Amino acid sequence: MAEDIGDGAKAEQFAQPTGFAFDAVSEAEITKVVAKYPPGRQASAVIPLLYIVQEQMKRSSGSAWVPRVAMDAVAQKLEMPPMRVYEVATFYLMFNTRPIGQFHLQVCTTTPCWLRGSDAVTAACRKATGIQGWGETSADGMFTMTEVECLGACVNAPILQVDNDFYEDMDAERTEALIAALRRGERPPAGSMAGRQGSAPEGGPTTLTSLDAQPAE
Amino acid sequence: MVKVTVDGIEVEVPPGANVLQACEAAGKEIPRFCYHDRLSVAGNCRMCLVEIEKAPPKPISSCSYPVADGMVVHTDSPMVRAARRGVMEFLLINHPLDCPICDQGGECDLQDQAIGYGMDHSRYAENKRAVKDKYLGPLVKTVMTRCIQCTRCIRFASEIAGVPELGATSRGENMEVGTYVERALTSELSGNLIDICPVGALTSKPYAFVARPWELRKTDSIDVLDAVGANIRIDARGPAVLRILPRVNDDVNEEWLADKSRFAIDGLKRRRLDACWVRRDGTLQRATWEEAFDAIAMRLDGATGDRIGAVAGNLVDVESMLALKDLMATLGSQNLDCRQDGAAVDVSRRDFYTFNTTIAGIEDADAVLLVGTNPRHEAPLINARIRKRWLALSGRMPVFAVAPHAELTYAVHWLENTPRALATLADESSDVGRTLRSAKRPMLILGQAALTRPDGAAVLAASWQLAAATGMMTPDWHGFNVLHTAAARVGALDLRFLPGPRGKDFTGMLGGGVDVLWLLGADEFDPARIGRNTFVIYQGHHGDHGASRADVILPGAAYTEKNGTYVNTEGRVQRGFFATYPPGQAREDWKIVRALSDRIGRRLPYDTIEAVRARMEQLNPVFARLDISPHFGVSDMTPPAGDPSAIGTEPFLPLFQTYYQTDAISRASPTMAECAAIYRPGMAVAAE
């Protein structure tokens, strides 16, 4: 059943599953999340629940997305109108309302990342995966590349977020290497790919390098 | 009260009011798109910007800014004007300039306000945004490219209609208003979306490309397709009624109108009786008025009064019923009835058969018990009032129902669906009974499905006793309500269009109980129940059930074609006015009866509608009290006739199979037929 959900995106045809049920892992997480909100306010848990759905879809189908039936399941769980769930799920770009590849390459192209070379990261992603444009999935079904707004890690720009992991200080070469590693089934540790610690200066500390305290004159 | 100065004019407004309301109190018109005084405040269109002294030095959206004492507001300063022009320019970036082919043209808020704040050209050279149209069912047409995202429709659907099916999906440039999943809106109030949409995004599907507002002749009238008596405006061009819009009456319909009342009007052009017909040799043949009257006169000649009967239908005006009642009296007949459904009624007191709390009074109630009724189908506007009250009490107003299960748009505790539940509730020990007793102003709504059963009189008496026992009736509160569905019913009861002391009721007149049966717009029964040798005169406007069995058909006028008095379920007397001429030979109904009385030598003593109305007032002074339905209490608890212990054990059944087809007009309407096919009973979602 390919239905047009009219969300303004390209009229790409894909199949919506006809049913969705939370599995045991999800149910356990839902209980934990819903307990954080006062009784009668459980609708506040809609965003965490959509994440739980997306993770369950990743576990069960290999593609982290939120099908429409799952939004209905969330609505039923939280006793809210389905439309209110649709609104949230389509508003936040973190929720994929259509199937994606095994790995979700999210390139930040906001000004700091762009100044620091996000164009090169994008080009490298294209080259390594064969993807042409934003939102597309590679022919082998492994990668989907999307453009995202500021990820809030500008000090380590540019950023390539793969699924939930931030890979920082990217350039073309590191991007291609990362994608090659993902293809091999490896998952390099997240963080700075330039080897610095957190957002500390490259090549080691530049301040507080000695223990001698110089009192101000 | 808070003192506010608007453009030098000092006004006093209640605390909690917003600046926009203060400006209106000062007589200043504030342009707006998203603000609507019956909906929650969204504050997203930014058109109502004003300047407020000693507030943040920027334009402030007046609809979402509360008033404060001593506030000084400027609604026409250079900053305000520039800001509104800027907002208008942004709104017009993506709004198509397709006014010539837009049905909203001429009554469009955006068009009107662009006159005041629009530029004569656009600085925007890029492509406009295009949005795919949505399917919202057979009544509302969408052109979503025109949407300015004011979200009024979303708020109306979730707040007033109680069907949270509309929403805004995606965001920014891609934001769209719709249902996400293609489905028809499951509301009986969906037509109001057309009225509240400030642009041409939501327009009427049946009225698409039919007329421009300035071509229409506008007539105030009263709706008759349910017993709420909604105030309407009939828009007609030439001989055709093209659309019906609600008029504001806060005591009845606020500014809303139910879909059947709004969209059944294409039924006024179909299956109409536009000529007299007389049955000759077994078939109906066209005739002149003289021939039809001759046929009736011949049959009435020699018939005795007790073998003549008259039945008034559900859509007729009081004037016609009065004329027919008087005619029957001159013929010596007491066989009158207005209840084709056989509803139990006790007319010894008016509050035994009216909606005594009044519709506006629902907003004072704090507990509701529904008995044998589905107000959403029987009176959608009353249902919306109950929902309004339920929302005002934060969803904590207890609503109980002894009725078949239905989705009523508010939380309902469903009790055992048999009349026995009434006896249980009256018991001191029942929890529900206690809840009702502890409420300050509880009310009971008794539907027609509970009264049209063999034990109807018992249910009526038991309900009254329950209301008395649970404190629903006090000297300043009357919580006993009968919800009618026929627009003519309360008027007919006020007129006592009922069997006389020795008269036959409706059932008694069928099956050969009378020799001559006069049906005045009576269509809600199986005509096969009429005796084979009964001579049937059908007077009415549609070739429906009643006309099919008639021996003489007298073409009458529909409610849009005559001046008529109607009494709504509250007992509110209201008058509708003539908007278009009835088709062909058809005439106003009281005049037909009057003309016939002359022909048979029993001339009725009135020649003008004023004289008819004087006679109505003489019979029952309530007809002189126009458009009032005062709150009143009750101190005499004597119950209506009926033995409360005789209640049966059968469950109450739904009154209507479908909301959309309940009378001759809506059955003749293709739009209503389409709705009935899409919104099948028990099927909430309709896939396109």
Side-chain angles (χ1 to χ4, degrees), chain B residues 657-681:
Chain B
Q657 289 308 309
T658 166
Y659 161 73
Y660 295 96
Q661 293 176 310
T662 54
D663 50 73
I665 296 174
S666 56
R667 278 192 292 268
S669 156
T671 308
M672 289 296 104
E674 202 185 338
C675 288
I678 287 173
Y679 303 103
R680 285 186 293 278

Side-chain angles (χ1 to χ4, degrees), chain A residues 4 6 68 83-84 87 90-91, chain B residues 132 166-168 170-171 176:
Chain A
D4 184 0
R68 218 250 300 141
M83 188 65 225
R84 301 281 97 87
E87 286 178 322
T90 55
F91 184 87
Chain B
K132 197 167 170 274
L166 275 175
S170 298
R171 62 168 163 178
E176 291 187 13

Side-chain angles (χ1 to χ4, degrees), chain B residues 5 62 79 98 112 162 165 282 293 295 313 368 372 388 413 458 488 504 556 565 611:
Chain B
T5 311
S62 58
M79 173 168 90
D98 62 348
D112 294 348
E165 294 166 6
F293 280 1
V368 179
K388 185 178 181 189
H413 304 276
K504 297 188 172 91
T565 303

Side-chain angles (χ1 to χ4, degrees), chain B residues 6 16 18 86 104 125 149-150 206 210 233 259 296 316 380 421 460 498 507 536 648 666 684:
Chain B
V6 181
N18 58 44
Q104 193 84 355
Q149 304 176 342
C150 70
V210 170
R233 190 184 92 192
D259 285 350
I296 295 170
V316 290
L460 176 65
L498 292 167
T507 319
V536 179
S666 56

Side-chain angles (χ1 to χ4, degrees), chain B residues 253-515:
Chain B
N253 54 315
E254 298 182 272
E255 61 186 271
W256 315 124
L257 190 59
D259 285 350
K260 186 167 47 183
S261 311
R262 187 190 294 261
F263 293 109
I265 47 162
D266 51 354
L268 290 171
K269 283 187 282 198
R270 290 171 174 81
R271 291 199 222 156
R272 285 303 298 270
L273 300 171
D274 59 354
C276 298
W277 297 78
V278 175
R279 197 176 291 274
R280 297 191 191 103
D281 312 323
T283 55
L284 282 168
Q285 292 174 7
R286 250 173 197 281
T288 61
W289 279 106
E290 287 72 26
E291 290 163 344
F293 280 1
D294 285 347
I296 295 170
M298 205 148 62
R299 196 67 177 76
L300 284 176
D301 191 27
T304 53
D306 63 332
R307 299 296 294 164
I308 305 173
V311 177
N314 289 347
L315 306 178
V316 290
D317 52 308
V318 179
E319 285 82 355
S320 337
M321 288 189 285
L322 172 87
L324 187 55
K325 183 182 155 99
D326 282 347
L327 178 69
M328 287 295 137
T330 65
L331 291 165
S333 166
Q334 297 189 337
N335 305 324
L336 298 173
D337 209 341
C338 59
R339 301 161 302 162
Q340 300 160 66
D341 49 14
V345 67
D346 180 346
V347 292
S348 60
R349 265 169 63 179
R350 201 168 186 234
D351 57 350
F352 287 162
Y353 61 86
T354 54
F355 199 94
N356 303 308
T357 303
T358 72
I359 296 171
I362 293 171
E363 293 185 34
D364 296 322
D366 56 0
V368 179
L369 173 64
L370 306 171
V371 179
T373 181
N374 174 348
R376 182 169 175 182
H377 282 176
E378 293 164 22
L381 294 167
I382 289 183
N383 198 56
R385 279 291 177 128
I386 301 175
R387 176 175 164 80
K388 185 178 181 189
R389 181 60 180 159
W390 179 79
L391 278 183
L393 295 179
S394 317
R396 280 195 285 271
M397 178 171 77
V399 182
F400 303 101
V402 182
H405 198 282
E407 177 48 61
L408 294 183
T409 72
Y410 39 84
V412 180
H413 304 276
W414 298 94
L415 308 175
E416 177 200 351
N417 178 26
T418 69
R420 274 200 313 261
L422 300 175
T424 321
L425 288 176
D427 190 357
E428 293 280 345
S429 62
S430 101
D431 284 347
V432 177
R434 253 204 305 276
T435 310
L436 290 174
R437 249 177 284 255
S438 64
K440 284 198 181 63
R441 287 180 298 275
M443 60 186 286
L444 180 150
I445 301 178
L446 185 58
Q448 292 301 302
L451 299 177
T452 53
R453 311 155 32 107
D455 61 350
V459 174
L460 176 65
S463 301
W464 177 278
Q465 285 197 342
L466 174 64
T470 50
M472 294 187 183
M473 295 188 281
T474 66
D476 46 30
W477 176 256
H478 201 322
F480 179 81
N481 300 289
V482 177
L483 178 60
H484 289 275
T485 54
R489 182 67 53 86
V490 178
L493 296 177
D494 283 341
L495 203 60
R496 306 289 185 267
F497 202 98
L498 292 167
R502 292 179 315 283
K504 297 188 172 91
D505 68 1
F506 178 62
T507 319
M509 287 184 252
L510 300 180
V514 289
D515 293 333

